[in-house]
Amino acid sequence: MGFTITRENKMVKKKWYFLFFSMVFMTFLVSCAKTEDTGKAPGDTDISPSLVYDCRMELDYAEEFTVDYYDGGYALITISEGSRFLIVPENAPIPEKLDGDIVILQQPIDHIYLVATAVMDMFQSLNGLDTIRLSGTKAENWYVEGAKAAMDRGDMLYAGKYNAPDYERILAENCKLAIENTMIGHAPEVREKLESFGIPVFVDYSSYEKHPLGRTEWVKLYGTLLGKTEEAQKAFNAQKKILEEISGQENTGKTVAYFYITTNGTVNVRKSSDYVPKMIELAGGKYIFGNLGDDGSRSSSVNMQMEEFYATAKDADYLIYNSTIDGELQTVDQLLGKCDLLKDFKAVKEGNVWCASGDFYQASMSLGTFISDVHQMLLYGKDASTVYIYPLA
């Protein structure tokens, strides 16, 4: 039986062609933005006469880095503090007359010395833990299960903290890259020595991001580093989707205090501009300290006397205890053992005291999940289904 091509058939086929190519075009735009109408590349991207600029990675929240793509699979990573790294594909030639400040990182990039703990979860989400040979954290201090397991197997070795690296081991293991956190700024001699051995030093500035998912979006940078851009986009989109499902819902108006009590009896509280208060707001709550801390400072928290904390936080609807420093709590009595004055707090009287799990700060790829946890807590109280926070008994 034959098939007659009608005008309607042609119109349907044209419509499907249009939709198909539109989808392809939109998919491209998600990850890479072309230059503006002027035809000029954004920023300083004219780095070598042998490289042809293509486009810049599109970012939803991150502001502390950019990635520019060039023909042939080359990618230029620029960090907000000025450092630049050129990712060169395996077996590809090093571009000629390259700007002198640019550090070359030729793929495959492995035998990494990873000191920045927030990055380990990103590598795990990329299925890239096998590229990390050396850790700046001991096995017993890892909450990232893949990292702990790798160290237990001997696939990943401890090579010392940021300020006291085991240079002998680092050199013996043919380290190709050191990924540090911003604390390396307090030990410039370490960076200088690593670089003198020919080991590039990359400093992770994800903690400087203003938006919580800006931190998570650094997975795209590391995906570029490892040649796993699709995996990175997928991992980031999973957290972005969680946030989008919460966004637009009405703010509950409920107030939250996030804190821990130090060994000397003062209270450590997150600055109002920090990412944790931002997550509370995104979850539909209100951080109890509306204007706390100096926005010009990079510090994420401030210490205050208990009397000062009491004056503001006693009427908070919810308390979330930060367990990172002195371990997780299980009961309200354990909290009151740290300071009996807390018994007068509204949240304690009403049974709305929660604790953040110890693995939260290493879970950089779960910040959307944490926002969802707080949202659930605000809506359903102890009946909430959560991952990184739990109510105290």
Side-chain angles (χ1 to χ4, degrees), residues 51-275:
L51 288 178
V52 178
Y53 182 81
D54 184 12
C55 62
R56 172 165 290 184
M57 176 188 288
E58 281 198 341
L59 298 171
D60 293 282
Y61 302 103
E63 299 177 348
E64 298 293 330
F65 76 91
T66 59
V67 177
D68 291 295
Y69 297 108
Y70 297 80
D71 289 356
Y74 296 86
L76 177 69
I77 294 173
T78 304
I79 308 303
S80 57
E81 47 82 33
S83 297
R84 296 195 291 173
F85 301 82
L86 184 68
I87 311 303
V88 178
E90 186 175 6
N91 298 323
I94 305 299
E96 61 183 25
K97 297 180 181 179
L98 193 66
D99 284 0
D101 66 303
I102 296 177
V103 178
I104 297 294
L105 297 177
Q106 185 142 25
Q107 297 171 328
I109 300 169
D110 50 26
H111 289 77
I112 296 170
Y113 169 40
L114 182 63
V115 180
T117 54
V119 178
M120 187 67 81
D121 198 28
M122 298 184 189
F123 272 69
Q124 179 169 262
S125 72
L126 295 170
N127 193 27
L129 292 182
D130 59 337
T131 65
I132 301 171
R133 179 57 175 163
L134 304 165
S135 168
T137 301
K138 294 181 178 179
E140 60 267 27
N141 295 324
W142 276 119
Y143 288 101
V144 179
E145 290 301 324
K148 183 175 177 60
M151 295 193 78
D152 289 341
R153 292 192 306 268
D155 293 338
M156 193 183 296
L157 306 174
Y158 179 63
K161 299 190 300 182
Y162 79 95
N163 59 351
D166 184 342
Y167 295 113
E168 184 176 350
R169 169 165 282 182
I170 290 171
L171 290 173
E173 292 298 329
N174 191 30
C175 177
K176 294 182 181 179
L177 175 67
I179 301 179
E180 302 275 356
N181 57 36
T182 55
M183 291 296 290
I184 194 66
H186 298 291
E189 71 282 358
V190 172
R191 179 171 188 166
E192 183 178 341
K193 192 163 187 177
L194 287 170
E195 292 176 337
S196 73
F197 292 139
I199 300 172
V201 176
F202 180 95
V203 182
D204 179 86
Y205 276 81
S206 61
S207 62
Y208 282 21
E209 294 291 350
K210 297 176 183 178
H211 194 285
L213 287 197
R215 293 183 166 218
T216 302
E217 199 162 17
W218 275 66
V219 71
K220 295 182 182 179
L221 182 154
Y222 295 111
T224 301
L225 204 70
L226 301 185
K228 294 175 176 284
T229 54
E230 291 184 8
E231 294 91 332
Q233 187 69 55
K234 182 177 179 180
F236 172 73
N237 284 347
Q239 293 302 303
K240 181 181 175 183
K241 182 179 179 181
I242 294 173
L243 178 59
E244 289 175 343
E245 290 172 349
I246 298 172
S247 298
Q249 297 188 29
E250 187 175 353
N251 192 291
T252 65
K254 295 178 181 177
T255 53
V256 181
Y258 189 93
F259 71 104
Y260 74 86
I261 299 173
T262 68
T263 54
N264 62 9
T266 61
V267 185
N268 184 274
V269 183
R270 311 299 290 198
K271 287 180 10 179
S272 301
S273 59
D274 181 61
Y275 80 109

Side-chain angles (χ1 to χ4, degrees), residues 27 82 252 301-302 309 372 383:
T27 300
T252 65
S301 61
V302 297
F309 178 72
S372 178
D383 293 329

Side-chain angles (χ1 to χ4, degrees), residues 89 100 246 299 334:
I246 298 172
S299 175
Q334 288 178 316

Side-chain angles (χ1 to χ4, degrees), residues 322-343:
N322 176 5
S323 69
T324 304
I325 304 300
D326 58 353
E328 296 181 5
L329 303 179
Q330 301 302 323
T331 68
V332 173
D333 286 341
Q334 288 178 316
L335 178 61
L336 296 181
K338 294 178 178 294
C339 180
D340 185 63
L341 191 62
L342 292 170
K343 70 179 185 298

